[in-house]
Amino acid sequence: MSSRDPGRPPAQRLFAAVLPPASAVAELRTALAPLHALPGAPDLRWTDPEGWHFTLAFYGEVPEDAAPELEARLERAARRTEPFPLRVHGAGHFGERALWAGAAGGLHTLRLLAERADAAARRAGLPMEEHRRYTPHLTLARSRGAADLRPFAAALAGFEGERWEAGELALVRSELPVSGVPGERPRYATVRAWPLGG
């Protein structure tokens, strides 16, 4: 369902996430700079550091009338989950399509929060994809076609970011590019955020 379909309730493209603090973003941005000089780097679509996040659950197009129930259930999920330590750690890739940075620290709690964010949507009546094991990652770049991302992942494999305390669950709106301008990226805006542990 799209918010542009006539006769249907307006909808927003939403996901739940943990957002890294500005200091962690700056640190990763610095570590990532040398990768832009590697062969093939100009062919990748690099994500905007201001939009970096650890997705917990992707909801797709959420009808406006379903949002209050989803938000209430996400608030409950946040209240039931204690703050936990987290840091950006290492890198990897999904096939030949996406380069990502990983996470370390309280991964058990991060996975639990992801499960609760997924369950919140199901209980709110949203159709969700089949549940699979959560892989915490922060997407750094995507390729338009098949690309050898191994040199990029190897260059960032030893990265150990600063430790911070993840203390918030965010509901984020994703606005996909519609202008057709080459290089335009999705824009993200936090709709609501709830402190962990209530």
Side-chain angles (χ1 to χ4, degrees), residues 69-137:
E69 177 74 8
L70 174 62
E71 290 180 12
R73 292 187 178 277
L74 286 173
E75 182 178 19
R76 196 171 308 144
R79 200 169 49 240
R80 292 173 54 211
T81 309
E82 290 302 314
F84 57 95
L86 200 62
R87 71 180 191 274
V88 181
H89 165 80
H93 56 95
F94 294 128
E96 300 174 318
R97 296 290 183 171
L99 173 70
W100 49 263
L107 297 187
H108 172 75
T109 308
L110 181 62
R111 288 189 176 103
L112 178 63
L113 186 57
E115 287 172 14
R116 288 175 173 167
D118 183 88
R122 293 177 193 279
R123 291 187 182 120
L126 298 178
M128 296 292 288
E129 289 183 11
E130 183 182 335
H131 191 70
R132 57 190 112 121
R133 181 164 171 78
Y134 176 69
T135 304
H137 66 281

Side-chain angles (χ1 to χ4, degrees), residues 13-107:
R13 186 178 171 89
L14 300 174
F15 61 89
V18 168
L19 307 178
S23 56
V25 169
E27 186 182 42
L28 179 57
R29 190 178 200 159
T30 299
L32 202 59
L35 275 68
H36 290 274
L38 294 177
D43 300 326
L44 299 177
R45 287 179 297 147
W46 296 88
T47 56
D48 188 353
E50 283 72 36
W52 282 344
H53 58 269
F54 289 100
T55 300
L56 298 169
F58 179 72
Y59 303 131
E61 295 284 340
V62 176
E64 198 173 86
D65 56 4
E69 177 74 8
L70 174 62
E71 290 180 12
R73 292 187 178 277
L74 286 173
E75 182 178 19
R76 196 171 308 144
R79 200 169 49 240
R80 292 173 54 211
T81 309
E82 290 302 314
F84 57 95
L86 200 62
R87 71 180 191 274
V88 181
H89 165 80
H93 56 95
F94 294 128
E96 300 174 318
R97 296 290 183 171
L99 173 70
W100 49 263
L107 297 187

